[in-house]
Amino acid sequence: MKTIAELTVIPALALVLTSCSGYQANALTEAHQDARVAQVAGLFDKSSTRVEPTLVPCTLSGGTKTECFSITVTSLQTEHKTGPWCPRNISDGPDQSGIWLNEGKVYDADGAFVENLAAFYQDKQWQLFNPETGAVKVTDSKDACVAAARPDVDPKYRNYCVECLPSYVEDLKEITYLIPAHPVYLGNLQQVDFHSGIGLAFNGVKFDAPAPVEAILGSHTLAPFDDCGGHVNPHVGYHYHAVTGCTKEVASIGEHAASIGYAMDGFRIHSRLNANGSESNDLDPCGGHLFGDMGYHYHANDPGENQILGCFQAEQGCALEGDSQSCEMTGQRPPPPGMPAK
Ligand SMILES: [Zn+2]
Ligand SMILES: [Zn+2]
């Protein structure tokens, strides 16, 4: 929870920053920069960030050259326990399995749900369990999870519950996120591009693009999320497709919903509900609004929507994983100057 001091510092800082008239990327004084970096560093869980966040030059998705916070996280999230995902038998209850999202609703992906899939989806081809023993077919190795989770599912793993364990992810896999320090508004909300994900929780876990549910169901597989809305992909590690209140929350002004992380365009993401249980009723198609001194920010969608944000209001930063160059995916530009070599 945020202290009173933090609450008063943030609006004051925003005021200072916006008063730097005719802002240029390098016009901030060193003191301003240090304060901004310290503020952002303080929000992230120390155990998940590899190195102290820094401010680096970057090029955003729309080509704007500016400054980004460089935040390097590991795949080892320690804030909350992960799993369970797939039930092992159709007799397993909701405490032995995760959740599934369908048409705006959250379901326990428990044994009863697996048993009932053919009726639920009105498709007799669903048969995820052995009718004699009740045993659920679950991917049980890294190779199986990779083969079952790829877009063209290995036919061997049709009618499987797909589960990748955190131990399948390389130890200390690092991902560096470049998140704009000064959001640059897009003129057009149609430019939805979640290639680098939606954002980053304060515990260092990625808020990912919507799970490709159609493709998953098309091959009669289920890839449940744990109760925190996350599951593991060997390439990304543990990541969220829904916000269910498991992660660090930083109190907002008054009763307004707490913030939970940053979107890839540099705006903050807040939880859905205000302290009194109400939702903001003026959210735009992206899920954001301008609210008093807090400026523009988003509120995460209901977990059942499988879409944490509807779109971005501003140009996005990017994620750098190992040798991959996902920052280049939106264009033919070379990596921004000053970007970490790795
Ligand atoms: Zn996923
Ligand atoms: Zn709000």
Side-chain angles (χ1 to χ4, degrees), residues 256-257 270 274 280 283 289 291 294 297-299:
H256 208 70
H270 290 241
N274 298 315
S280 298
L283 301 180
H289 65 167
F291 186 80
M294 292 165 61
H297 58 269
Y298 300 110
H299 289 270

Side-chain angles (χ1 to χ4, degrees), residues 320-341:
L320 297 169
E321 300 170 41
D323 297 329
S324 84
Q325 297 288 324
S326 63
C327 287
E328 290 186 274
M329 282 178 61
T330 51
Q332 286 70 48
R333 296 183 303 277
M339 188 176 290

Side-chain angles (χ1 to χ4, degrees), residues 165-209:
L165 299 179
S167 59
Y168 300 165
V169 184
E170 298 160 50
D171 280 352
L172 297 178
K173 179 180 166 62
E174 289 181 4
I175 303 179
T176 296
Y177 291 85
L178 298 186
I179 295 186
H182 323 283
V184 177
Y185 278 97
L186 289 163
N188 178 1
L189 294 188
Q190 303 311 309
Q191 297 177 18
V192 181
D193 177 356
F194 292 133
H195 75 271
S196 287
I198 281 173
L200 193 58
F202 291 141
N203 66 359
V205 174
K206 183 181 196 172
F207 290 127
D208 214 343

Side-chain angles (χ1 to χ4, degrees), residues 85-93 96-98 109-117 126-140 157-163 220-224:
W85 293 278
C86 294
R88 274 8 193 207
N89 192 285
I90 55 170
S91 62
D92 285 353
Q96 291 158 290
S97 52
D110 57 6
F113 184 80
V114 165
E115 186 177 15
N116 193 42
L117 275 170
W126 282 99
Q127 186 63 52
L128 240 60
F129 61 100
N130 179 326
E132 279 157 29
T133 63
V136 177
K137 290 186 278 179
V138 181
T139 54
D140 61 356
Y157 295 107
R158 291 203 178 121
N159 261 311
Y160 257 77
C161 191
V162 183
E163 179 177 282
H220 299 93
T221 55
L222 207 61

Side-chain angles (χ1 to χ4, degrees), residues 39-264:
Q39 181 208 359
V40 170
L43 294 169
F44 282 87
D45 179 4
K46 287 273 179 292
S47 63
S48 64
T49 44
R50 266 315 258 168
V51 287
E52 283 290 304
T54 53
L55 209 52
V56 299
C58 60
T59 304
L60 305 184
S61 58
T64 302
K65 292 186 188 312
T66 177
E67 289 173 310
C68 288
F69 295 113
S70 170
I71 301 166
T72 300
V73 300
T74 72
S75 55
L76 301 174
Q77 174 283 134
T78 55
E79 185 182 28
H80 62 79
K81 88 174 181 69
T82 56
W85 293 278
C86 294
R88 274 8 193 207
N89 192 285
I90 55 170
S91 62
D92 285 353
D95 53 331
Q96 291 158 290
S97 52
I99 57 172
W100 187 242
L101 316 172
N102 188 67
E103 296 189 350
K105 286 207 186 106
V106 179
Y107 296 84
D108 284 315
D110 57 6
F113 184 80
V114 165
E115 186 177 15
N116 193 42
L117 275 170
F120 187 81
Y121 283 116
Q122 299 186 336
D123 175 355
K124 291 197 177 101
Q125 288 186 53
W126 282 99
Q127 186 63 52
L128 240 60
F129 61 100
N130 179 326
E132 279 157 29
T133 63
V136 177
K137 290 186 278 179
V138 181
T139 54
D140 61 356
S141 67
K142 181 174 178 179
D143 286 347
C145 108
V146 169
R150 68 183 199 216
D152 56 328
V153 174
D154 184 328
K156 235 185 346 203
Y157 295 107
R158 291 203 178 121
N159 261 311
Y160 257 77
C161 191
V162 183
E163 179 177 282
C164 301
L165 299 179
S167 59
Y168 300 165
V169 184
E170 298 160 50
D171 280 352
L172 297 178
K173 179 180 166 62
E174 289 181 4
I175 303 179
T176 296
Y177 291 85
L178 298 186
I179 295 186
H182 323 283
V184 177
Y185 278 97
L186 289 163
N188 178 1
L189 294 188
Q190 303 311 309
Q191 297 177 18
V192 181
D193 177 356
F194 292 133
H195 75 271
S196 287
I198 281 173
L200 193 58
F202 291 141
N203 66 359
V205 174
K206 183 181 196 172
F207 290 127
D208 214 343
V213 169
E214 292 303 317
I216 293 168
L217 297 176
S219 53
H220 299 93
T221 55
L222 207 61
F225 315 98
D226 63 17
D227 289 350
C228 290
H231 63 185
V232 175
N233 164 326
H235 308 296
V236 180
Y238 181 75
H239 58 277
Y240 300 121
H241 289 287
V243 171
T244 66
C246 287
T247 64
K248 177 183 173 181
E249 299 193 337
V250 176
S252 292
I253 295 168
E255 298 280 280
H256 208 70
S259 71
I260 54 173
Y262 274 94
M264 288 308 299

